[in-house]
Amino acid sequence: MKCFYHPDQAYHAPPTFLLRGQPAPSPEGPVRAELLTQGLANAGLTLTAPREADSPTLRKRLEQIHTPRYLTFLETIYPRWQTLPDAAEFVAPNIHPCGGGHHYPRHPIGQAGWHLHDMACPLSATSFQGALASAASAEAAAEEVLDGAPAAYALCRPPGHHAGPERAGGFCLLNNAALAATVLRERFSKVAIIDVDLHHGNGTQDIFYHRRDVWTGSLHVDPSDFYPFFWGGADETGSGEGEGANVNLPLPLGGDSGVYLDALAILIDRLERYAPDAVVVALGLDAHKDDPLAGLTVETEAFIDVGKRLAALSLPTVIIQEGGYPTEHLSANLTAFMQGFTS
């Protein structure tokens, strides 16, 4: 299986994020790529860089899942932010349109609050460059499958599944899984995104909530108790043409490998009823018991089963890296998944 990673992803490297009101070291940094690369190597896999980290084709595809003003914001906010008196080094909001805003602001502070959903996405001068490189890696993996490969993997950081049509959040700036599905839709009539991350993929859900050509399914810790809190309930099933094409399986906080794998079996059954032509796997490894964002207690060995069950779908598959944060187990978790998927 071919695996893709563009080194420009390292340009996005925020040192801190806000955790329980306190600045804390960000777990979403370049070291993640190093650990995941080692995990691939242990599974006998190597990385290939996409031809370019930005292209007109990539921009057009991103415009199908994100609004033009959001993409413009990501690309232009940093120099505008730096013109503000006493501006911080990183773009970070101090106001949000809670309850829903009615007016799109012109001022950089207002736009930061509109587009940056939480305090986990501080933007530097090179963050957009890093996010584009992450998206380009997802695009390359999807194109590999379009060209006939049975499966391909993209090492993406920053991750993407919390990024909605015009919102960043949860370390995510551009939605890589949605981008991969968009590329696959250029050939396949029906595409499914199955998200096995610890957290609900609220951005992915928002992008496809009113559509039936892309099915979205997620297992995750119950948002009543866990991030992203405001999305991910079992009653969120899609709307309009998308009714029934969105499936959420909230899990109890602290659930173990058995709980996780039982939910995966249900989610795969629902996916198979949809009968897609191709699949995107939003691969989170942060369900592991020792992940720093721990909400579940999944063992490394369970990821072998995850890989086997998803490979058993026998469909063209793009695997997009989502969560999974630095611990001594992160490399082994990816190795386990890949060993299961390729066995």
Side-chain angles (χ1 to χ4, degrees), residues 5-12 53 126 129-131 133-134 157:
Y5 171 78
H6 198 291
D8 282 3
Q9 293 183 39
Y11 282 115
H12 178 65
T126 56
Q129 185 177 352
S134 184
R157 65 141 308 268

Side-chain angles (χ1 to χ4, degrees), residues 115-337:
H115 293 298
L116 303 179
H117 169 71
D118 57 30
M119 299 297 290
C121 298
L123 302 176
S124 72
T126 56
S127 285
F128 186 60
Q129 185 177 352
L132 281 174
S134 184
S137 302
E139 179 186 49
E143 288 180 339
E144 178 76 3
V145 171
L146 279 191
D147 289 340
Y153 166 85
L155 198 172
C156 295
R157 65 141 308 268
H161 71 155
H162 296 305
E166 60 172 18
R167 179 182 63 242
F171 308 130
C172 302
L173 303 180
L174 297 172
N175 196 308
N176 303 308
L179 173 64
T182 297
V183 175
L184 292 177
R185 276 287 292 113
E186 293 171 9
R187 174 171 301 175
F188 299 105
S189 297
K190 296 169 67 179
V191 175
I193 302 175
I194 183 168
D195 191 327
V196 298
D197 191 275
L198 171 68
H199 306 91
H200 176 247
N202 57 302
T204 309
Q205 173 176 293
D206 285 354
I207 289 168
F208 297 111
Y209 203 65
H210 303 283
R211 291 171 55 175
R212 193 156 196 85
D213 59 323
V214 179
W215 179 94
T216 50
S218 176
L219 60 84
H220 48 269
V221 175
D222 191 328
S224 297
D225 302 308
F226 209 66
Y227 187 93
F229 295 112
F230 312 115
W231 305 270
D235 59 338
E236 297 162 27
T237 58
S239 178
E241 292 183 4
E243 177 61 44
N246 188 82
V247 177
N248 290 324
L249 298 180
L251 308 180
L253 187 64
D256 61 12
S257 297
V259 169
Y260 182 80
L261 292 174
D262 286 348
L264 179 62
I266 295 170
L267 196 59
I268 287 175
D269 177 69
R270 297 291 297 275
L271 182 154
E272 290 180 319
R273 291 188 215 174
Y274 175 73
D277 304 306
V279 174
V280 175
V281 176
L283 178 62
L285 301 169
D286 44 4
H288 188 266
K289 63 180 182 178
D290 293 327
D291 192 272
L293 303 181
L296 295 172
T297 54
V298 173
E299 303 281 350
T300 295
E301 293 73 17
F303 292 114
I304 298 174
D305 282 343
V306 175
K308 286 181 177 179
R309 295 183 190 192
L310 293 172
L313 291 169
S314 299
L315 290 166
T317 302
V318 181
I319 303 165
I320 302 295
Q321 188 64 54
E322 296 289 355
Y325 299 95
T327 70
E328 60 180 321
H329 303 285
L330 180 56
S331 299
N333 293 339
L334 183 54
T335 301
F337 174 86

Side-chain angles (χ1 to χ4, degrees), residues 26-37 157 326 330:
S26 178
E28 207 304 288
V31 68
R32 286 188 69 223
E34 297 171 15
L35 294 170
L36 293 165
T37 299
R157 65 141 308 268
L330 180 56

Side-chain angles (χ1 to χ4, degrees), residues 14-27 119-120 122:
T16 62
F17 77 123
L18 203 63
L19 180 65
R20 302 183 189 96
Q22 299 283 354
S26 178
M119 299 297 290

